[in-house]
Amino acid sequence: MLENRRFVIIGFFSLVGLIYLLRLFYLQVLDESYSIESSSNSIKRVIEIPFRGQIYDRTGKLIVYNTPVYDLLVTPRKARVEDTLRFCQVLGIERRDFDSLMAAAAAYSPFKPSLFLRQLSKEDFASIQDVMVDYSGFEFAKSSLRTYTAPTLANTLGYVSEITRSQLEKQEEPYYRQSDYIGQSGIEKIYENELRGKRGTKFVMQNVAGVYKGPWKNGELDTMAVAGENLYTGIDLEVQQYADSLMVNKVGSVVAIEPKTGQIISMVSAPTYDPNILASRHFSKNFAALARNPYKPLFNRPVMASYRPGSTFKLIQALIGLQAGVITPESGFTHANCPMGCHVHPATSTVALGVMHSCNPYFYNVFRRLIYKNNITNTFRASAVGLDDWHDKMSKFGIGQRLGIDLPSEYKGNLPNKKYYDRFYGEYRWKFSNIYSLSIGEGELLITPLKMANVAAIIANRGYYYTPHVIHGIGDKKYVKPEFLERHDSGVDPRHFDPVIEGMIGAVEGGTARRSRVEGITIAGKTGTSQNKKGDDSSIFIAFAPADDPKIAIAVFVEYAGAGGSAAAPIANLVIEKYLTRKVTNKALEERMLKADFMSKVILPGVKKPVTTDSTRKKPVPADSVKKKPAAPAKPVVSNRPVAVNP
Amino acid sequence: MPENKPITKNVDWIVVLIYIACLAIGWVNIYAAVYNPEVQTSMFDVSNNAGKQLMWIGTAALLIVCILVIDYKFYETFSFIIYAVVIALLVLVLFAGSNINGSRSWIKIGAFSLQPAEFSKLAISLAIAKYLSDPAISLTRKLKDYYPIMGIIALPAFLILLSNETGSMLVFASFAVVLYREGMPGFIPAIGMVMAALLIITLLFVKWYIAGAIIIIAGLAIWIMPVMTRRRGGLWATILVSLVMIGIVFGVDFFMNNVLQKHQRGRIMVLLDPDSDPRGIGWNVIQSKIAIGSGGFAGKGFLQGTQTKFDFVPEQSTDFIFCTVGEEHGFIGAAIVVFLFVCLISRLVILAERQRSRFARVYGYCVAGIIFFHFMINVGMTIGLMPVIGIPLPFFSYGGSSLWSFSILLFIFLKIDAQRPFTLSRG
Ligand SMILES: [Zn+2]
């Protein structure tokens, strides 16, 4: 009885199987709309790649846009080229190029279209298009090229190039295909998802010859491509290009920040290159040349280069000392009982004077008090506790921390703590006398130009900062990432900034940076010299202006240029004046800085110096030969002037 | 006792051959599904799903050897213990599971993930078979004998529901097949199907019309029935059934809007009208129909499928593997797969019927029912006859957990079947 139910069960299973077979027969054989084989048309999915977002400067000027170009694709199995000679003539290629391109395409896939010629201009396309009708197996695909309105900001903006094999394999969702473009560095990389937009999909019908026969199902299933979001930067293009010109023939950085918002106004990485050369058909060649260049133009110095902060560090020492109560604005120190040398200067009887004259013993004493502030009698233990306490306070200024700028590969820098020295000396085996060089920004400290510009912004704001950022608006709604609207506190009360700022104004008016003061603008600044073991020191200057209502905070680093007052301070002050007044009064200084060439002093690792009178110079060096100017200044292997656009 | 006769003599080779055919076709199609002409990798490369599936097939083979070596009495003796272990795993996964695609139901071991929910089917099958092996239990007469079965199914179902893996829970409906065979009155599965049909009709038509139609049909039935049969009580039963049905129709509205989650509601709506949401949930159904439909009679050929490449069909190598079969091998390929499944399931029913012990028969029916339900829902989903429910196609879909659990499920039955000549009839 119950056994007979097996027939019901098997019957039910078979019935479902039969229904499915009928359904499949209907879908696959009867329903024409799905079938490809039974009609002469085939359905093809075309992916429409939208324009990347454009990038604007703070005044609304366009920095990056797109130029439409055409890629020529070939499907090797379908390709019919009878007269190769004429074909090559039309495309302007050599016969062996033709052979190698065809071979590469066939190796990739004989049945699928692959790239034959990339990025033909509109004009080329117009002239070739008609002739190409004679050759089957070729098709054009619309594409676009990044185009830059000015030859500047190469490292900040980054570049876009073909996706690499490893990137292709690593992507989590299969979004990119081979030969797709992707942002590889700078803003293009960080904001790739915003810039790339949304791809569209079109289903089109083609006949056997690949000729378009209209949309499939009236385009019901097509999706429109949506252009990428525009990005709005805080960059001032005019000031940026002016700063670029001042940094020609120098190695270094200029970073200018708007203190009240954290927006980057200008960011120069010298030497630089014209970003247009990496957005052309000659990408590989040009990229290889840049990668080989010994001056490393692809190295984004403002966020990646590391220096010792030198005397600019004294500003933070003073602020932390005041906040901790180990000094008052009226504290004075003399050169007595200090192992550090100093230059001849008037008495430093206040914090302001200490900053103004950049007195080494003064800050040696401040740092000593900070380290030994605690009541521990054992100096080893006291140093250990004191250093970690100092480390925490320093960290709040962003030293030794990643600030979180919207650029890739930001260097963290180095801010030593107890653990750091324990590794070298062993626990409680070191004390203040081993680490005092930190007091004047030497020793094991490492910072980036961006960090010091941010320090200038903190002082300008009297105690806080916003994370420095390039993009201050995404899309039409100018959406700002919330992390860039978050105020970070330095942990130092506003009142403690007054004596330090007074000292900074003094430094520009009559101290270490007096030669580059600007008429009519009160600039608060501080020079620094980052010692360089291999050659001339790096010249550093950080500043903000106007002192009473700061609109710009700046850090300038010039490698191999000597003391801070020699190159960095003049360049910084010229940029400040340009930004605040749109003109420059001190034409003589401007002329001198435009012409200054510190590139010839650069000692390249492993590269023989171009033949000059001091080409034999090697360490140790007699003091006089250093001062000697080369008789015939050698041209660097590659000029750091923006490289001409490759035709 | 001739128990040491080689297992190869007694094992049912028809099922084994169908099993091997399914694995082979599945593996080739997984390779085709993940095959990217622009980033080519070998079929044996463990960085792609096909290579990984090969590893899973290899480990499944080892498992099968173990199953065939273990004494057949083990499964019956330890069925409740196996059930307890799986329940423990389901509880464990709630606390220690890794979150994959929004459902906390995976245990990660290195690069591979296991899903305990997959093994709950095996556990339930063994437990039900063990319970029903008691000849005193009768599903025909005693309602209280159903309670333990409900409990056996409900406990893992509840745990799976907690881990947000509703798809595999629906498969538990497949146990209706075995219960029907063991004596459950035929009207219960009939009511189930009527309810499902009502649900769909309610979504398509105005509920007052349906209520009217039910009343008319009930009236006709009451009028005709006395003529057809001489049974009494038919009048009240018919009125009761009609009222229940009308209740269901109105309940469905409430069910759709208040009980189902939004994406579940969407999946049912799309089944009825895929064009209602062509960009959203309908996308899966449309794309999968295009892929299968474009295969034509003979298919486009191995690796020549275009619709299943890239993001055309989602989850091509797992839940939508049938699309690749349909596109690349056409109606012929798809029909072969359907045929293989119908043969396999029918063969399992035949094998189950020839068992001497009730335990073996019940277990055999469980296996047949589970594989059938997976087949029905998965293939039905890809051809637009079933809602989009993410469950694998047995032996075809990529995934270690499902391959292991189906292989274990099947070969435990084959082992028991191979020992059939030596088992005593117990009811
Ligand atoms: Zn001094």
Side-chain angles (χ1 to χ4, degrees), chain A residues 314 333-335 340-348 353-354 357-363:
Chain A
K314 293 170 182 168
F333 296 102
T334 65
H335 288 178
M340 282 181 167
C342 200
H343 54 111
V344 179
H345 58 77
T348 49
L353 287 169
H357 297 298
S358 195
C359 178
N360 290 345
Y362 191 99
F363 291 94

Side-chain angles (χ1 to χ4, degrees), chain A residues 290-305:
Chain A
L290 289 173
R292 273 199 310 269
N293 188 323
Y295 297 94
K296 295 186 183 151
L298 290 169
F299 184 59
N300 193 13
R301 290 183 162 80
V303 297
M304 291 161 82

Side-chain angles (χ1 to χ4, degrees), chain B residues 323-344:
Chain B
C323 292
T324 311
V325 179
E327 189 188 7
E328 297 197 346
H329 306 290
F331 176 70
I332 295 176
I336 287 173
V337 171
V338 171
F339 183 71
L340 278 177
F341 270 102
V342 173
C343 284
L344 174 69

Side-chain angles (χ1 to χ4, degrees), chain A residues 2-3 5-6 8-10 12-14 16-29 31 34-37 43-45 47 108-109 111-112 165 168-169 174 176-178 201 203 216 219-223, chain B residues 37-40 177 180-186 193 278-279 286-287 289-290 292-294 296-297 300 310-312 322 326 330-331 334-335 338 342 345-346 349-350 353 365 368 372 375-376 379-380 383-386:
Chain A
L2 281 179
E3 294 95 270
R5 285 192 169 183
R6 73 178 122 165
V8 178
I9 292 168
I10 291 183
F12 179 64
F13 291 170
S14 306
V16 170
L18 187 68
I19 292 172
Y20 283 12
L21 281 182
L22 291 174
R23 172 70 173 178
L24 282 166
F25 191 75
Y26 169 74
L27 275 182
Q28 298 188 288
V29 183
D31 189 348
Y34 294 119
S35 175
I36 288 178
E37 301 302 326
I43 306 161
K44 196 181 163 216
R45 188 174 77 149
I47 291 185
Y108 159 61
S109 165
F111 302 102
K112 303 212 181 262
R165 212 182 156 80
L168 202 58
E169 282 165 11
Y176 299 95
R177 301 154 308 155
Q178 195 171 46
T201 309
F203 297 93
W216 183 64
E220 269 173 54
L221 303 173
D222 297 358
T223 48
Chain B
E38 287 155 22
V39 190
Q40 289 181 10
V177 173
Y180 171 70
R181 167 60 185 82
E182 292 305 312
M184 183 171 72
M193 278 187 261
R279 301 275 178 282
I286 291 173
Q287 291 308 318
K289 283 200 301 194
I290 290 177
I292 292 175
S294 71
F297 185 74
K300 297 174 187 167
F310 306 117
D311 49 353
F312 258 97
F322 191 71
F331 176 70
V338 171
V342 173
I345 298 158
S346 305
V349 169
I350 292 165
E353 282 296 342
Y365 264 101
F372 169 73
F375 160 76
M376 181 175 79
V379 173
I383 55 179
L385 290 180
M386 285 277 159

